[in-house]
């Protein structure tokens, strides 16, 4: 971030330049991804997403109040009391306070069960031309109790992930239907994309929050990104936030500011 303080004019210009990218009803990039995501999760709708984003913003504004960033002495009793509360509010505490559909997207476990069908030669097996095998995914590992399937597919590794299992099936010369496994992998992929997009927009919502100022929101966002990356193994970054914060808001030429913001967005 370029500066530690902003003048009244800069703050006014900063909020006037809010393009509200975090408005998911208007963000076309989000809406395109959401339409795909709905093929795999019909429950986590836009209203729940909005509520989830608001919960995160409120949680972090409570966890890291403005006073933590306004020069309050770290040796003061006031700061020490704030820090005690902050340490108690880890991301797992947030999980207890959000809708279970939101928690499901954050954790993004594999779906539990799937079926695989192996086709048989109808001339040899006229009355039973397919075999069905059911599998469970537990703690990211494919579980099977079918020795016959393992023998047919050469599936011997007891710690095979769904992705590895899919690769094994693709290399097999057996005629199979494993579309349910493919759908599991697609669901996980698009859920990860949706999770990241929601959190990116949440960072923007946090930056433009009316409950704070940009100079306080910025370090709060840094904590938010760091803690979510560590907890959920994602790769959020501050690039878009830095671009917004590094623009010179001292000018009275609003059109120039808009051009700068737009050019940064599309770089």
């Amino acid at each position: 971030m370029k500066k530690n303080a902003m003048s009244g004019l800069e703050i006014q210009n900063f909020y006037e330049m809010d393009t509200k990218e975090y408005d998911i009803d208007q963000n076309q990039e989000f809406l395109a991804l959401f339409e795909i995501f709905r093929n795999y999760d019909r429950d986590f709708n836009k209203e729940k997403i909005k509520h989830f984003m608001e919960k995160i913003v409120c949680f972090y504004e409570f966890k890291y109040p403005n006073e933590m960033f306004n020069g309050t002495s770290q040796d003061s009793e006031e700061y020490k009391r704030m820090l005690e509360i902050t340490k108690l509010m880890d991301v797992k505490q947030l999980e207890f306070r959000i809708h279970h559909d939101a928690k499901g997207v954050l954790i993004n476990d594999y779906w539990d069960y799937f079926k695989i069908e192996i086709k048989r030669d109808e001339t040899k097996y006229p009355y039973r031309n397919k075999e069905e095998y059911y599998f469970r995914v537990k703690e990211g590992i494919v579980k099977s109790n079918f020795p016959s399937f393992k023998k047919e597919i050469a599936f011997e590794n007891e710690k095979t992930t769904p992705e590895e299992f899919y690769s094994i099936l693709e290399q097999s010369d057996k005629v199979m239907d494993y579309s349910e496994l493919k759908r599991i992998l697609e669901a996980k992929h698009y859920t990860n994309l949706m999770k990241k997009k929601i959190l990116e927009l949440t960072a923007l919502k946090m930056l433009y929050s009316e409950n704070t100022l940009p100079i306080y929101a910025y370090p709060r966002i840094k904590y938010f990104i760091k803690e979510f990356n560590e907890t959920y193994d994602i790769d959020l970054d501050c690039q878009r936030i830095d671009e917004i914060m590094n623009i010179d808001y001292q000018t009275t030429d609003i059109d120039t500011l808009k051009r700068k913001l737009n050019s940064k967005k599309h770089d």
Side-chain angles (χ1 to χ4, degrees):
M1 189 174 66
K2 184 168 61 179
K3 53 175 75 70
N4 294 321
M6 299 174 78
S7 67
L9 174 62
E10 289 177 294
I11 291 172
Q12 179 181 334
N13 287 340
F14 179 86
Y15 287 111
E16 283 189 18
M17 290 302 100
D18 179 6
T19 57
K20 294 182 170 51
E21 292 176 53
Y22 49 81
D23 182 351
I24 63 174
D25 289 321
Q26 303 301 322
N27 187 310
Q28 295 304 311
E29 185 179 342
F30 170 86
L31 291 172
L33 178 58
F34 181 69
E35 283 305 307
I36 300 173
F37 172 74
R38 278 170 55 82
N39 293 320
Y40 304 97
D41 189 335
R42 306 292 294 187
D43 296 324
F44 195 38
N45 57 38
K46 285 194 287 185
E47 290 308 309
K48 289 178 182 176
I49 293 173
K50 292 175 191 176
H51 189 63
F52 174 47
M53 292 170 67
E54 188 63 37
K55 276 282 186 75
I56 294 176
V57 173
C58 291
F59 183 87
Y60 272 86
E61 287 180 345
F62 190 86
K63 179 175 182 178
Y64 296 106
N66 295 342
E67 288 73 16
M68 292 193 78
F69 311 118
N70 70 355
T72 302
S73 172
Q74 295 187 13
D75 294 324
S76 66
E77 288 302 315
E78 180 183 30
Y79 187 90
K80 290 177 181 177
R81 286 196 297 271
M82 285 190 291
L83 193 59
E84 286 177 4
I85 295 174
T86 296
K87 289 179 178 179
L88 292 173
M89 297 178 65
D90 60 26
V91 178
K92 289 299 181 180
Q93 288 298 318
L94 175 64
E95 286 185 9
F96 298 139
R97 292 161 174 83
I98 57 177
H99 195 280
H100 63 84
D101 289 336
K103 182 177 178 180
V105 168
L106 273 181
I107 297 173
N108 193 16
D109 283 334
Y110 296 97
W111 296 350
D112 284 345
Y113 296 96
F114 64 92
K115 177 181 70 175
I116 291 176
E117 291 182 359
I118 297 183
K119 310 294 184 181
R120 303 295 189 196
D121 185 341
E122 292 187 7
T123 61
K124 295 181 179 179
Y125 304 93
Y127 303 108
R128 190 173 182 177
N129 55 18
K130 67 179 181 181
E131 292 284 349
E132 295 182 349
Y133 298 93
Y134 292 84
F135 298 82
R136 183 182 182 191
V137 182
K138 185 176 181 182
E139 297 178 352
I141 300 299
V142 175
K143 302 291 184 180
S144 168
N145 293 319
F146 298 105
S148 59
F149 182 88
K150 294 182 180 182
K151 184 177 180 180
E152 283 201 68
I153 307 300
F155 170 51
E156 299 176 354
N157 190 346
E158 294 299 326
K159 294 187 176 181
T160 303
T161 66
E163 287 83 2
E164 292 168 340
F165 192 40
Y166 184 82
S167 179
I168 291 171
L169 298 179
E170 281 198 311
Q171 295 172 33
S172 172
D173 58 1
K174 302 289 183 181
V175 180
M176 291 181 287
D177 178 359
Y178 47 92
S179 55
E180 288 187 10
L181 174 59
K182 181 179 180 181
R183 185 167 173 80
I184 285 176
L185 298 180
E186 289 174 347
K188 190 169 184 67
H189 171 69
Y190 285 110
T191 300
N192 275 335
L193 292 180
M194 177 56 64
K195 172 171 62 177
K196 185 174 182 181
K197 174 56 66 178
I198 291 171
L199 296 176
E200 288 172 345
L201 297 181
T202 300
L204 286 172
K205 187 177 179 68
M206 201 178 297
L207 181 64
Y208 288 107
S209 170
E210 295 179 354
N211 300 325
T212 188
L213 291 172
I215 58 170
Y216 304 143
Y218 182 80
R220 184 178 294 126
I221 292 168
K222 297 281 280 188
Y223 280 116
F224 157 65
I225 288 176
K226 177 178 182 294
E227 292 167 7
F228 267 68
N229 282 344
E230 290 174 350
T231 306
Y232 301 109
D233 192 25
I234 49 183
D235 58 345
L236 297 171
D237 62 57
C238 254
Q239 181 178 347
R240 179 66 179 143
I241 304 299
D242 287 337
E243 289 171 351
I244 294 170
M245 291 299 294
N246 283 323
I247 289 176
D248 185 355
Y249 291 95
Q250 294 186 65
T251 181
T252 56
D253 186 348
I254 300 300
D255 290 334
T256 298
L257 282 179
K258 288 181 178 179
R259 285 194 296 271
K260 287 180 179 179
L261 270 175
N262 288 330
S263 66
K264 291 288 186 183
K265 182 179 178 181
H266 297 103
D267 280 348

